[in-house]
């Protein structure tokens, strides 16, 4: 699964939660984590419909329009993994 975190530099809310979310996501197999600075890749953010920051997309779909808790992210990743048939 590919996770994209959309942020802007200097965003205290973005920086504060990123480390914990990334660490939680990477405990699952097959996770690719990408941090997208919207100032550098605005077209990507617009294509996904990102209207507020920070936001998080999974496999090319905007899933969280605000940062989720670690628990919310893990639950969503497990749900998606189960739908793909890769999970236990």
């Amino acid at each position: 699964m590919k996770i994209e975190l959309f942020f802007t530099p200097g965003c205290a809310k973005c920086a504060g939660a990123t480390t914990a979310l990334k660490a939680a996501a990477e405990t699952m197999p097959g996770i690719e984590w990408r941090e997208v600075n919207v100032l550098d890749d605005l077209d990507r953010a617009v294509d996904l419909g990102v209207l507020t920051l920070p936001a998080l997309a999974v496999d090319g779909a905007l899933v969280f329009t605000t940062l989720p808790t670690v628990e919310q992210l893990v639950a969503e990743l497990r749900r998606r993994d189960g739908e793909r048939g890769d999970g236990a």
Side-chain angles (χ1 to χ4, degrees):
M1 268 181 278
K2 182 177 181 179
I3 300 173
E4 296 171 286
L5 171 70
F6 292 87
F7 74 99
T8 56
C11 169
K13 188 175 184 180
C14 301
T18 299
T19 303
L21 290 172
K22 182 178 180 182
E26 290 179 339
T27 63
M28 298 190 68
I31 295 293
E32 178 186 339
W33 181 272
R34 178 175 178 234
E35 295 179 16
V36 181
N37 177 344
V38 296
L39 299 178
D40 294 335
D41 200 353
L42 183 59
D43 290 340
R44 177 74 179 142
V46 169
D47 287 346
L48 290 180
V50 174
L51 298 176
T52 60
L53 298 172
L56 200 127
V58 178
D59 290 337
L62 185 61
V63 177
F64 296 101
T65 57
T66 60
L67 282 184
T69 64
V70 168
E71 294 80 13
Q72 289 170 323
L73 177 59
V74 169
E76 178 65 19
L77 296 178
R78 285 185 179 148
R79 184 186 70 76
R80 288 173 175 268
D81 192 43
E83 286 178 358
R84 291 186 339 182
D86 297 340

